[in-house]
Amino acid sequence: MGLTIRLDNRVSLDQVARAALDRRPVDLDDRSWHRVAESRSLLDEFVADGRIIYGVTTGVGGFADRFVPAADAQRLQENLIRAVATNVGAYLDEDTTRAIMITRIVSLSLGNSAIRPENLRIYIAMLNADVVPCIPEKGSLGTSGDLGPLAYIAMVSIGQWKARYRGEILDGGEALRRAGITPARLGYKEGLAMINGTAGMVGIALLTYRSARRLVELYHVISALAIEGLAGIVDPFDPRVHAVKPHRGQARAAARIHRGLRDSGLARSERDIEAILAARRDGAAGNTATGARMAIEDAYSIRCTPQILGPVLDSLDWIETTVENELNSTSDNPIVLPDVGEAFHNGHFHGQYIAMAMDHLGIALTTVTNLANRRVDRFLDQSNSNGLPPFLCREDPGLRLGLMGGQFMTASVTAETRTLTVPVSIQSLTSTADFQDIVSFGFVAARRAKEILRNAAYVIAFELLCACQAVDIRGADGLSSWTRPLYERVRAIVPYLDRDITITDHLEALAEFLLSEEAGDFAGLPSDDEEYRDDRIAEHV
């Protein structure tokens, strides 16, 4: 089933993602096509009246003070898209490029950019025929829109540059010919309409956000599994505890983990530990060396999980709203508004919203990475694991290293990830003879958030491997009904390790699973308990 973009409906991130990932066809409803035509007709009137409009009857960028006759429109627009196509580096993958194309189509469909309907139809035809332009990933300022990245799509639409088509990289004109698409001929403003916007950064951002959201939702289950593996205490997650601190994300994280561990035989209660400690105190005559080390409360990486995941969840909510707002925006300059009969010069192309949202996403994911890294250390350190063998090596310790080596990777990747959280959205550099004098680097921020997401998946994958190893050592029969399906899915990827092997392939497979659509199937609560519904949580906080 395809995606029909309707002028009166907000397009969701999931709709764009599904259309991009599943190769679903896209079209506009009749009202959208009518609005697109109205915008173009109004611009035609302005040109006929001799109006001076940026990028229509003037040059662009640092040449905005130069007049250009309407008769030279095609040359100006083609020169524009060729001149700004200066990106370098590897090409974006096809899924990301399709998401970018759909995002630009959504923006143009609002009918405020004065593109001719026939050229917008060519964009849609390219997408639906799977003609995927090759977009080098580095070089966008993310301010006068993603000029460079979007220019490669525009060039393919006129039969230039390069595109992937049915497994081959072809000349853009040849790709269009094989797909049966006639190249576009650009009139005034149309090249500018194609490239002047935030679609590049939004396309990357929406796919990255969706994967990050799934990973964080699943991380609640992973946290519960880690608590079981470390024989952690459940009481700090009781919803009544969190009702006194009114952060919705924190309350939601605590409630989910508390509900998920309700039938666990491995997680412990405070009362049980209190009884054991009291008996030890009374029976050992002050000898604190008897029995395994045990404390009345857990370390922060267990006990403070809701306080750490809570702000991550709240940040994700803001990020989702921001990216979806930008997706449904006209991010063009100038805009031609049929309903008010006027054209306006503006700065809607500026990507600061997405730049800051992606910086926040990077911080949120790095926060989860820090938490996972600390739990890995507790699993492997015999003095902090509540009775687990050192390095989770039960068989032949000393002869074997167990999971010791895996911490090398997690420490390295965690440190690297922390360096990637320096904000991109404040790194403005001036360009274009001080015309573009404050820039967002939103495209860079979105690419970097995607890299941080992959790093987070590697560290979490190793924490998950450790948790399952620990659970097997303690006795997997005690798992809760919430964590058991995830444990079994992990065991289908990597077995219990009673011998030393190279675990790289297992970690790659686990990371792929964590970032897959399938991972979302394991994140839901085992029942729709009234007490733990999100709306009930909101009422409490």
Side-chain angles (χ1 to χ4, degrees):
M1 186 176 180
L3 168 62
T4 299
I5 299 167
R6 301 184 183 280
L7 191 61
D8 57 351
N9 279 3
R10 186 177 174 91
V11 179
S12 72
L13 304 185
D14 281 347
Q15 285 177 308
V16 175
R18 288 273 54 87
L21 299 173
D22 297 342
R23 305 295 198 264
R24 296 179 183 177
V26 171
D27 201 357
L28 312 187
D29 71 344
D30 291 341
R31 286 186 60 193
S32 296
W33 284 119
H34 180 70
R35 170 86 180 201
V36 169
E38 278 190 315
S39 180
R40 183 63 186 190
S41 178
L42 183 59
L43 182 60
D44 289 340
E45 292 178 22
F46 293 155
V47 172
D49 290 343
R51 293 275 299 271
I52 298 174
I53 300 174
Y54 173 81
V56 178
T57 54
T58 76
V60 297
F63 287 127
D65 58 343
R66 308 294 177 93
F67 298 111
V68 177
D72 289 331
Q74 182 172 347
R75 288 179 61 198
L76 172 62
Q77 299 304 311
E78 291 189 3
N79 286 341
L80 166 62
I81 62 177
R82 283 193 291 261
V84 301
T86 56
N87 279 33
V88 294
Y91 297 146
L92 298 177
D93 63 86
E94 292 191 35
D95 289 341
T96 299
T97 302
R98 284 178 56 82
I100 290 171
M101 294 173 73
I102 296 167
T103 299
R104 194 63 193 147
I105 290 167
V106 171
S107 183
L108 294 173
S109 77
L110 298 175
N112 300 317
S113 299
I115 190 172
R116 286 180 292 177
E118 54 264 39
N119 282 339
L120 181 52
R121 289 186 191 278
I122 289 171
Y123 256 41
I124 294 173
M126 286 168 51
L127 176 74
N128 291 344
D130 228 18
V131 175
V132 183
C134 297
I135 303 177
E137 66 178 359
K138 296 185 179 182
S140 176
L141 292 176
T143 298
S144 212
D146 291 312
L147 295 177
L150 298 181
Y152 294 99
I153 303 173
M155 281 200 295
V156 172
S157 78
I158 65 172
Q160 298 179 17
W161 186 236
K162 291 175 280 188
R164 296 185 182 97
Y165 182 67
R166 296 185 177 178
E168 293 183 70
I169 293 181
L170 305 170
D171 171 80
E174 177 62 14
L176 293 184
R177 186 190 68 77
R178 293 193 190 184
I181 301 171
T182 301
R185 290 178 60 84
L186 302 182
Y188 42 76
K189 178 139 187 342
E190 292 192 288
L192 193 58
M194 290 172 171
I195 69 174
N196 203 8
T198 56
M201 63 184 81
V202 172
I204 300 173
L206 72 88
L207 293 180
T208 303
Y209 160 78
R210 287 179 76 254
S211 292
R213 170 69 82 169
R214 280 196 309 271
L215 180 61
V216 171
E217 294 295 342
L218 183 62
Y219 195 69
H220 290 75
V221 193
I222 295 170
S223 294
L225 191 57
I227 291 166
E228 291 181 303
L230 288 167
I233 304 169
V234 175
D235 298 69
F237 301 92
D238 191 312
R240 294 171 295 182
V241 174
H242 299 272
V244 302
K245 194 170 186 183
H247 293 299
R248 182 174 180 180
Q250 175 182 322
R252 181 172 181 266
R256 294 189 74 212
I257 293 171
H258 188 263
R259 170 63 186 89
L261 290 174
R262 177 181 283 178
D263 60 351
S264 174
L266 294 175
R268 301 178 298 174
S269 76
E270 216 167 273
R271 291 293 175 266
D272 291 340
I273 294 174
E274 188 176 352
I276 293 170
L277 291 175
R280 183 178 298 176
R281 177 196 61 197
D282 298 339
N287 182 1
T288 58
T290 60
R293 182 180 182 275
M294 186 176 296
I296 193 62
E297 59 183 19
D298 288 321
Y300 291 4
S301 58
I302 298 298
R303 179 165 35 111
C304 297
T305 295
Q307 289 83 357
I308 296 167
L309 290 186
V312 170
L313 290 173
D314 289 339
S315 293
L316 287 174
D317 288 343
W318 174 77
I319 292 164
E320 179 179 19
T321 299
T322 300
V323 177
E324 194 168 280
N325 283 344
E326 194 69 31
L327 168 65
N328 287 277
S329 297
T330 295
S331 56
D332 192 2
N333 174 54
I335 54 175
V336 183
L337 306 182
D339 48 352
V340 297
E342 189 53 271
F344 295 92
H345 296 96
N346 68 91
H348 286 345
F349 47 68
H350 203 286
Q352 196 70 22
Y353 266 111
I354 298 299
M356 292 180 69
M358 291 298 97
D359 279 347
H360 279 282
L361 183 59
I363 291 169
L365 290 169
T366 302
T367 298
V368 178
T369 302
N370 282 337
L371 182 55
N373 177 68
R374 288 296 79 217
R375 292 197 192 139
V376 164
D377 189 67
R378 301 201 76 77
F379 276 120
L380 301 184
D381 185 348
Q382 184 181 22
S383 64
N384 287 323
S385 66
N386 285 330
L388 294 171
F391 307 108
L392 296 174
C393 183
R394 181 170 61 183
E395 295 81 12
D396 302 321
L399 177 62
R400 293 178 52 234
L401 277 68
L403 292 176
M404 184 189 303
Q407 193 172 22
F408 306 162
M409 179 277 291
T410 57
S412 174
V413 173
T414 299
E416 178 185 338
T417 302
R418 289 173 180 173
T419 70
L420 297 175
T421 58
V422 176
V424 177
S425 57
I426 60 170
Q427 305 298 332
S428 179
L429 290 170
T430 188
S431 70
T432 323
D434 266 357
F435 189 69
Q436 297 182 33
D437 60 347
I438 182 165
V439 301
S440 76
F441 293 116
F443 195 88
V444 180
R447 282 197 300 106
R448 198 185 59 175
K450 184 178 180 180
E451 182 178 359
I452 291 172
L453 172 63
R454 186 74 191 188
N455 284 353
Y458 284 132
V459 179
I460 293 170
F462 188 65
E463 179 194 356
L464 183 54
L465 190 154
C466 289
C468 291
Q469 185 83 356
V471 162
D472 278 330
I473 291 170
R474 293 195 191 275
D477 289 346
L479 283 169
S480 76
S481 57
W482 194 39
T483 57
R484 177 166 293 282
L486 179 60
Y487 163 83
E488 290 175 348
R489 184 66 184 89
V490 172
R491 282 289 169 252
I493 297 171
V494 52
Y496 172 78
L497 298 176
D498 58 1
R499 62 193 185 283
D500 284 354
I501 62 171
T502 300
I503 62 172
T504 295
D505 289 343
H506 291 310
L507 292 174
E508 293 285 0
L510 282 175
E512 286 297 324
F513 161 69
L514 292 173
L515 296 176
S516 70
E517 298 278 342
E518 179 196 1
D521 298 338
F522 295 85
L525 281 167
S527 70
D528 296 324
D529 239 326
E530 180 73 13
E531 181 183 356
Y532 296 94
R533 280 188 5 231
D534 275 0
D535 55 349
R536 289 294 303 278
I537 292 169
E539 290 173 12
H540 285 303
V541 301

